[in-house]
């Protein structure tokens, strides 16, 4: 057991140089905290939990896209007396899932705005009786006209939300875009679209609620953000804050899909529990989860750029539009991130981004890994290849000439202060992938080939943490304490859902306390126990919450030292013994740390100017593909992902994050298509919504550059969302290279390629005929 | 789970005779279920209309593969795992072994049976094209006896078959007469594993003196039933596989298939790819001639 | 239809269960026997989270009526480790980062155990095919492949 060496003077943050190479735990592949339980099958997810007397809930949903509810009848063949039935009338507080706005009803009272909108709740002790009962409820509607595309929504013939169907608009206007067109040698325009994407976590959404007047309401659920649910449930029930308790249970994947919707399911379970007086579990099956819960926002991006023949980008005029679905939910913040990332990893002397999120009559779209950035970055990275082609320059050279560098400013006027070197990342990615030789060879060999090969790149950035003033508003707190037995605990509302929160926060805590990793554990993610360290979203856990845990740990250590129970050096047992003694003597040992914004971060919400993010992760990805000209199917043959994410806290987990994100990105690009039928997902089954299997994923080769970031825990920046941004454009660039045809929309299915290539083949024939 | 288990009868007679007796005494009342990879999916989704199920799983008489020097008989209850691993199937009917390996993931191949796949009559199933080109014969059994029917005559329309309510698909009979024939199989699905076919094709053929002496082509997911492409075969028989002949084959194919738009693909795509695969098959056929 | 009695050998123990014959083995394991390590991901045999071994064969337990497993030997994830001692596949998944959210993990480990029994030294293609019925949404499969390879090496020494 190694004795602790103090590396910082109290009160002063250690400098980066002091970190490197000195850590015992940070930077090592510490084993996943809850890993043994997961490989044994003993980890308890929401559907694995039950309580005595627990009954089961189900949701009656709208069958139409938009209309007024005229009549509800309870049909025959069901013993209705045995069922608990809840409608909007049973809601004690506000009928809303409180997020940014309160326009999202918990239960539709008199009108519905999308298919599968919740209207009634049923509960019964026999869960197998519920599907039949749900089907037996007959609802008559007066059908109202509905809107099912961004184009229809912006035309405004039918208004389905607010005054103009617009949830939110942003404008970034930097420099003088309109004056740039005259100076351009080339003006390149393009339109790029992305589809909805289903999260497809393997653990479906579910919640259990229990209520007694004395103890109040407790919700257990599969979720990312216990305090979001807490806020929402307080608003819904009208109960005092301390009578609502939210407990996250083991959560089997989330990817943003369990950011807002668990508040809805929790609310439904709560209403049934309050009415029945019994614990109620609502567990969605796969189809209900797919058709009723959120998806990634579909998007349309129009880009017009001015460029010189030397490949200098002069200006970009970008119109970024997203489909938000029927209620505003998180659309404004998703739009914000997409807007800020729209300029990509490039320096634009002049740039204007106009963006809007529109209402349509499908279930609200929500958070999904990347949060708007994969959409606008897809457009920019496809566009860069088209610009390169238009001016006769290689895609990598065009990028190289325009990369953001330290000292240059982003679209929001944020001067890059990190020591980023995108040229180096690019060079490394090109070398590892053998890009140049392949690009040349494929171009040569493709002409007559039945299997055409292509290689494409994407260079991009992803802002870590909440946008702009977000972290300031969140005002997060993390803590550390010791139990009576001398166990050290991390107290955060940041949740584990596979990405490694438990592990990295315990690594940071153990490192900061100077004790063994095994001596630190996570306090249960229970709003009755932990402080609000903010939602587990936005790639903020390592960087922001990790830093708070780091400070809280230092505080706890200093408390122990100040009390005289701990000397200048110690072993783990000595530390734990000291902590135990402290608890016995003073009743507790606890240290909290509150977020303090870095002094050099300024953001103006009105003009959308300033430091949009405290830090960015940077990356260059290379995809190699084969397009089979018989079947028009695309196979990704090789994938190289080079990134700079600050300090890598745990190489195994970090690599796994990148690989998993790349696989989701491959799905986003080539496999995953939500098929809409008047606002309803028609392919809400795993059989028909296709995600990649073990036989569809190429070798994913992951490389990190590590440049520790001063404000993150041990130099960490965000990592979770980054890998979602790059695969789709890299793959489409590769497919476009292989086929010598521009493909600007995802998902790109074999059917789409067939249509384009087969049609093109017939063109010369028609010309001859004329 | 959208069904109530209490609403379903489930009988396990335990023997073939017992099963047949049940089917005979209450024809149309009982739905035979073997590996359950189709029936249980319907049940889980709340879409299973049948309320009385008759267990065929592990009835020994249905799980045998027997052979003579000229024939191979596959019991209807054989799983795809059994088929793809069987030496004689691999040797004499490689397209069938290949189709078996394409059907679902490993766990489903351990349960799904060849008879289930045939009787379920999905036009997109993977094994029918191979069975069509090998000119399989089906043996149907009821308490009153057995009868044989060419597999090509089994599918009558979309999800309609020649199987009578009292009958069970006992065995698939194949003749070992394709040694040395050219063979070809392709499947296009939405991904490389566990994908329902958008198109699947199987073909065997023989050339003599550069001319097509024999050619059998089977296709799935291009018509309401698995399809043997008789007109296309006819058009190519006796020809030398020149560019013109291949183009003619493409044309005939497009008159013969009638694919649809559905949740898995489009009619347009299926027509284009079916023709591409036919062309690819014919080019390979012309180049390689007889495989052995 | 009324409940009937079925006898199952689960993880080496004889267990009697009373169930409707059409109850899914998955539900009998989870609700009847409290073996919640076997997960439901899709209920249609597509994701493999419910994989178990029945008489040594890998099977999706969501597609098996309990009446079809009367008298069979069933192994679930809870029966893979030897007491406190993790199975090499479990240990390798832990070490290599093969488990992230953990929902596909039990099924993935069952598929690995089955694969390694069939091919003690599997090729890369055999690994990819052997796991093709088990969908993972977190890992991109790379850490899982590494875990299977590692388990194969360690399994040799056992």
């Amino acid at each position: 057991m190694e004795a602790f060496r103090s590396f910082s003077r109290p009160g002063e943050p250690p400098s980066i140089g002091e970190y490197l190479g000195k850590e015992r735990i940070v930077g090592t592949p510490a084993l996943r905290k809850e890993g043994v339980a997961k490989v044994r099958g003993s980890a308890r997810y929401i559907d694995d939990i039950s309580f005595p007397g627990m009954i089961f809930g189900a949701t009656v949903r709208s069958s139409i896209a938009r209309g007024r509810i005229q009549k509800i009848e309870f049909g025959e063949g069901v013993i209705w007396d045995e069922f608990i039935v809840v409608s909007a009338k049973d809601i004690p507080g506000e009928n809303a899932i409180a997020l940014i706005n309160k326009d999202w009803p918990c239960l539709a009272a008199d009108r519905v705005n999308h298919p599968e909108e919740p209207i009634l709740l049923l509960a019964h002790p026999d869960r197998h009786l519920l599907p039949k009962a749900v089907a037996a409820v007959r609802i008559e509607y007066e059908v109202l006209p509905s809107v099912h595309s961004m184009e229809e929504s912006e035309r405004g013939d039918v208004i389905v939300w607010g005054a103009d169907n617009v949830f939110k608009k942003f404008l970034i206007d930097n420099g003088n875009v309109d004056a740039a067109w005259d100076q351009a040698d080339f003006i390149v325009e393009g339109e790029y679209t992305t589809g909805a994407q289903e999260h497809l976590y393997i653990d479906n959404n579910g919640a259990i609620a229990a209520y007694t007047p004395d103890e109040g309401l407790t919700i257990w659920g599969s979720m990312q953000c216990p305090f979001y649910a807490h806020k929402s449930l307080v608003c819904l029930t009208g109960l005092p804050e301390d009578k609502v308790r939210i407990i996250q249970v083991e959560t089997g994947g989330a990817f943003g899909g369990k950011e807002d919707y668990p508040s809805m399911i929790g609310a439904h379970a709560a209403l049934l529990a309050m009415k029945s007086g019994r614990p109620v579990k609502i567990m969605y099956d796969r189809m209900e989860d797919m058709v009723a819960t959120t998806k990634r926002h579909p998007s349309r991006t129009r880009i017009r750029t001015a460029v010189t023949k030397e490949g200098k980008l002069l200006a970009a005029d970008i119109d970024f539009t997203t489909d938000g679905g029927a209620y505003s939910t998180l659309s404004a913040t998703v739009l914000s991130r997409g807007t800020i990332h729209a300029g990509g990893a490039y320096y634009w002397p002049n740039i204007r981004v106009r963006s809007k999120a529109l209402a349509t009559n499908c279930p609200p779209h929500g958070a999904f890994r990347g949060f708007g950035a994969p959409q606008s970055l897809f457009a920019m990275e496809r566009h860069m290849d088209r610009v390169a082609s238009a001016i006769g320059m290689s895609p990598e050279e065009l990028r190289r000439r325009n990369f953001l560098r330290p000292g240059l400013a982003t679209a929001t006027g944020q001067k890059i202060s990190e020591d980023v070197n995108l040229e180096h990342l690019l060079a490394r990615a090109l070398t590892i992938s053998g890009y140049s030789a392949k690009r040349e060879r494929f171009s040569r060999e493709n002409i007559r080939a039945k299997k055409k090969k292509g290689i494409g790149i994407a260079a991009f950035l992803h802002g870590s943490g909440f946008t702009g003033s977000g972290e300031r508003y969140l005002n997060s707190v993390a803590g550390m304490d010791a139990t009576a037995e001398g166990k050290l605990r991390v107290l955060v509302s940041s949740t584990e859902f596979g990405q490694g929160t438990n592990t990295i926060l315990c690594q940071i805590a153990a490192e900061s306390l100077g004790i063994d990793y095994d001596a630190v554990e996570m306090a249960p993610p229970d709003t009755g126990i932990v402080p609000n360290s903010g939602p587990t979203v936005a790639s903020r856990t390592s960087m922001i919450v990790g830093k708070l845990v780091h400070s809280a740990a230092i505080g706890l250590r200093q408390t122990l030292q100040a009390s005289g129970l701990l000397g200048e050096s110690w072993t783990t047992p000595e530390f734990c013994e000291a902590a135990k003694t402290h608890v016995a003597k003073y009743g507790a040992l606890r240290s909290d740390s509150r977020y303090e914004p870095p002094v050099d971060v300024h953001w103006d919400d009105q003009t959308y100017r300033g430091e949009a993010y405290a830090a960015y992760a940077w990356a260059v990805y290379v995809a190699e593909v084969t397009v089979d000209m018989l079947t028009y199917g695309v196979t990704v043959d090789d994938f190289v992902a080079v990134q700079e994410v600050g300090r890598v806290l745990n190489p195994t987990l970090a690599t796994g994050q990148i690989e998993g994100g790349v696989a989701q990105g491959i799905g986003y690009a080539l496999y995953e298509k939500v098929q809409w039928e008047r606002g309803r997902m028609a392919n809400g089954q795993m059989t028909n919504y296709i995600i990649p299997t073990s036989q569809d994923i190429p070798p994913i080769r992951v490389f990190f550059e590590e440049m520790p970031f001063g404000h993150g825990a041990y130099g960490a920046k965000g990592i979770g969302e980054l890998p979602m941004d790059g695969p789709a454009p890299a793959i489409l660039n590769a497919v476009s290279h292989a086929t010598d045809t521009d493909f600007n929309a995802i998902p790109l299915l074999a059917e789409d390629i067939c249509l384009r290539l087969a049609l093109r083949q017939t063109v010369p024939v028609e010309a001859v005929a004329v | 789970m959208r069904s109530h288990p209490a609403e379903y009868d489930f009988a396990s007679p335990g023997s073939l005779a017992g099963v047949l007796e049940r089917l005979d005494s209450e024809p149309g009342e009982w739905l035979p279920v073997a590996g359950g990879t189709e029936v249980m999916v319907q049940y889980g989704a709340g879409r299973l209309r049948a309320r009385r199920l008759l267990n065929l799983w592990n009835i020994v008489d249905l799980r045998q593969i027997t052979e003579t020097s000229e024939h191979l008989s596959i019991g209807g209850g054989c799983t795809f795992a059994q088929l793809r691993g069987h030496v004689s199937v691999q040797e004499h009917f490689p397209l069938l072994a290949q189709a078996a390996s394409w059907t679902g993931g490993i766990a489903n191949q351990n349960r799904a049976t060849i008879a289930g796949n045939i009787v379920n009559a999905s036009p997109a199933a993977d094994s029918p094209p191979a069975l069509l080109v090998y000119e399989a014969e089906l043996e149907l059994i009821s308490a009153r006896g057995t009868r044989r029917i060419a597999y090509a005559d089994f599918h009558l329309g979309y999800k309609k078959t020649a199987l009578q309510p009292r009958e069970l698909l006992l065995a698939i009979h194949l003749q070992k007469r394709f040694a040395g024939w050219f063979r070809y199989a392709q499947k296009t699905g939405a991904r490389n594993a566990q994908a329902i076919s958008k198109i699947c094709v199987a073909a065997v053929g023989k050339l003599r003196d550069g001319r097509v002496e024999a050619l059998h082509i089977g296709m799935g997911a291009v018509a309401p039933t698995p399809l043997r492409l008789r007109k296309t075969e006819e058009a190519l028989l006796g020809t030398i596989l020149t560019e013109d002949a291949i183009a003619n084959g493409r044309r005939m194919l497009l008159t013969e298939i009638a694919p649809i738009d559905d949740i898995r693909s489009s009619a347009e795509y299926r027509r284009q790819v079916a023709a591409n695969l036919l062309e690819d098959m014919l080019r390979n056929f012309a180049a390689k001639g007889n495989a052995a | 239809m009324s409940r009937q009695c079925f006898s199952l050998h689960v993880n080496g123990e004889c267990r009697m269960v009373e169930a409707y014959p059409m109850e899914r083995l998955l539900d009998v394991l989870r609700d009847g026997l409290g073996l919640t390590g076997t997960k439901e991901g899709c209920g249609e045999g597509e994701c493999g989270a419910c994989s178990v071994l029945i008489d040594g064969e890998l099977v999706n337990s969501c597609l098996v009526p309990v009446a079809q497993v009367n008298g069979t030997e069933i192994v679930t994830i809870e029966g893979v480790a030897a007491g406190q001692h993790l199975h090499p596949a479990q240990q390798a998944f832990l070490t290599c980062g093969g488990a992230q959210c953990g929902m596909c993990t039990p099924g993935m480990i069952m598929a690995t155990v089955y694969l390694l029994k069939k091919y003690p030294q599997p090729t890369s293609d055999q690994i990819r095919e052997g796991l093709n019925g088990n969908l993972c949404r977190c890992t991109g499969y790379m850490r899982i492949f590494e875990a299977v390879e590692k388990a194969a090496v360690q399994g040799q020494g056992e």
Side-chain angles (χ1 to χ4, degrees), chain A residues 665-687:
Chain A
I666 291 172
Y668 187 39
L670 295 174
Y671 295 89
E672 301 179 29
K673 181 171 189 168
V674 176
Q675 303 195 33
W676 297 105
E677 274 175 13
R678 297 195 62 74
R680 185 176 191 277
M681 184 183 191
N683 55 332
Q685 283 173 279
M686 279 203 185
T687 315

Side-chain angles (χ1 to χ4, degrees), chain B residues 1 4-12 33-41 43-45 47-48 53 55-58 81 84 101 104-111 191-195, chain C residues 1-2 4 20-25 27 40 43-48 51 54-60 62-69 72 114 118-119 128-135:
Chain B
M1 232 286 277
H4 201 306
E7 293 177 356
Y8 294 82
D9 245 357
F10 190 95
S12 292
V33 53
T37 52
E38 176 65 28
V39 169
M40 291 300 286
V41 172
Y43 168 72
R47 292 196 307 260
L48 184 62
L53 295 119
N55 187 12
L56 302 182
W57 183 248
N58 267 346
R84 66 181 286 196
S101 75
I106 297 295
N108 286 339
Q109 288 171 13
N110 282 336
R111 293 281 298 181
R191 61 184 171 203
N192 288 331
Q194 283 212 95
Chain C
M1 195 76 195
S2 56
Q4 298 171 15
Y20 297 110
M22 270 296 275
E23 273 183 52
R24 303 180 304 174
L25 173 60
D27 297 325
E40 174 161 5
E44 55 176 0
E46 194 76 14
C47 75
S51 303
I54 301 177
D55 289 337
E57 297 290 326
L58 186 73
V59 165
N60 289 317
C62 73
L63 298 185
V64 180
V66 64
Q68 287 188 334
V69 293
T72 61
Y114 180 69
K118 224 169 22 174
Y119 308 109
R128 283 173 179 270
E129 192 188 4
L131 304 180
N132 72 5
N134 295 77
L135 298 178

Side-chain angles (χ1 to χ4, degrees), chain B residues 11-34:
Chain B
S12 292
S15 69
L16 181 58
V19 167
L20 295 176
E21 192 189 309
R22 195 68 69 105
L23 288 176
D24 197 65
S25 59
E26 296 169 288
E29 265 293 294
W30 294 88
L31 177 69
V33 53

Side-chain angles (χ1 to χ4, degrees), chain A residues 225-237:
Chain A
C225 311
F227 279 97
Y228 278 7
H230 186 264
K231 172 184 163 184
S232 197
L233 266 294
V234 167
C235 165
L236 181 95
T237 58

Side-chain angles (χ1 to χ4, degrees), chain C residues 66-83:
Chain C
V66 64
Q68 287 188 334
V69 293
N70 197 22
T72 61
E73 291 279 348
I74 294 166
V75 180
T76 70
I77 186 67
E78 289 90 346
V80 168

Side-chain angles (χ1 to χ4, degrees), chain B residues 42-291:
Chain B
Q42 304 289 336
Y43 168 72
R47 292 196 307 260
L48 184 62
R49 271 194 229 114
R51 284 290 183 272
R52 311 181 81 184
L53 295 119
L54 198 52
N55 187 12
L56 302 182
W57 183 248
N58 267 346
I59 287 181
V60 181
D61 297 341
L62 294 173
R63 290 207 64 166
Q64 310 299 319
I65 298 178
T66 57
E67 60 184 315
T68 67
S69 58
E70 283 164 16
H71 297 98
L72 184 83
S73 294
I74 299 166
C78 290
T79 63
F80 287 107
Q82 221 178 326
L83 281 185
R84 66 181 286 196
H86 194 277
V87 176
S88 274
V89 176
Q90 287 167 358
E91 185 188 339
H92 297 284
F93 306 100
L95 300 180
L96 186 58
Q98 170 94 76
S101 75
W102 283 337
T103 307
I106 297 295
N108 286 339
Q109 288 171 13
N110 282 336
R111 293 281 298 181
T113 64
I114 181 77
N117 202 226
I118 292 170
V119 168
N120 184 47
S122 161
D126 293 312
S127 52
L131 295 172
L132 284 170
V133 303
Y134 288 133
E135 303 197 313
E137 203 177 30
L138 305 186
E139 185 175 1
L140 311 177
I141 186 168
S142 73
R144 296 150 196 225
T146 66
R147 63 177 176 127
R148 288 197 178 206
I149 175 175
Y151 176 55
D153 298 331
F154 184 72
H155 294 291
L156 306 177
Y158 179 70
K159 293 254 177 187
K160 266 197 204 141
T161 71
L163 188 77
Q164 297 297 312
R166 288 186 167 86
E167 287 177 324
L168 207 61
L169 173 44
L170 178 67
I172 295 101
H173 299 288
L174 295 161
Q175 290 181 35
K176 295 178 181 172
R177 59 182 175 89
F178 298 97
W181 287 46
F182 164 78
R183 64 171 191 268
Y184 180 94
Q186 273 263 8
K187 163 181 177 143
T188 75
R191 61 184 171 203
N192 288 331
Q194 283 212 95
I196 293 167
S197 284
K198 293 174 177 181
I199 302 274
C200 52
V201 58
V204 296
K206 267 200 303 194
L207 293 181
R208 174 178 290 203
D209 304 330
R211 289 180 186 276
V212 178
E213 188 190 24
L215 180 59
H216 305 171
I217 312 167
M219 251 189 208
V222 292
T225 66
L227 205 61
R228 172 87 186 260
L229 299 173
R230 303 255 185 210
K231 287 205 286 184
T232 308
E233 293 170 9
E234 194 87 359
L236 292 161
L237 271 182
T239 66
I240 297 171
L241 292 172
T242 59
E243 288 300 313
D244 280 355
I246 290 172
N248 190 41
R250 279 188 81 120
R251 267 195 300 278
M252 287 311 294
L253 170 90
L254 293 174
T255 67
E256 223 175 345
I257 62 174
I260 56 163
D261 289 327
D262 64 14
I263 206 156
R264 300 197 180 96
S265 192
S266 67
E268 205 166 13
Y269 173 84
R270 287 179 163 125
R271 291 170 70 82
Q272 183 70 33
V273 172
N276 288 357
L277 292 177
L278 177 78
E279 181 175 329
D280 185 56
M281 183 273 286
L282 292 175
R283 287 186 193 286
N284 272 288
F285 189 19
K288 287 186 199 152
N290 298 346

Side-chain angles (χ1 to χ4, degrees), chain A residues 184-202:
Chain A
D185 294 317
F186 294 90
I187 293 174
V188 182
E189 297 184 43
E191 179 173 307
Y192 310 88
T193 61
T194 64
Q197 187 183 20
E198 161 59 32
H199 306 84
L200 221 86
Y201 31 71
I202 308 296

Side-chain angles (χ1 to χ4, degrees), chain A residues 212 311 532 708:
Chain A
T212 63
N532 188 353

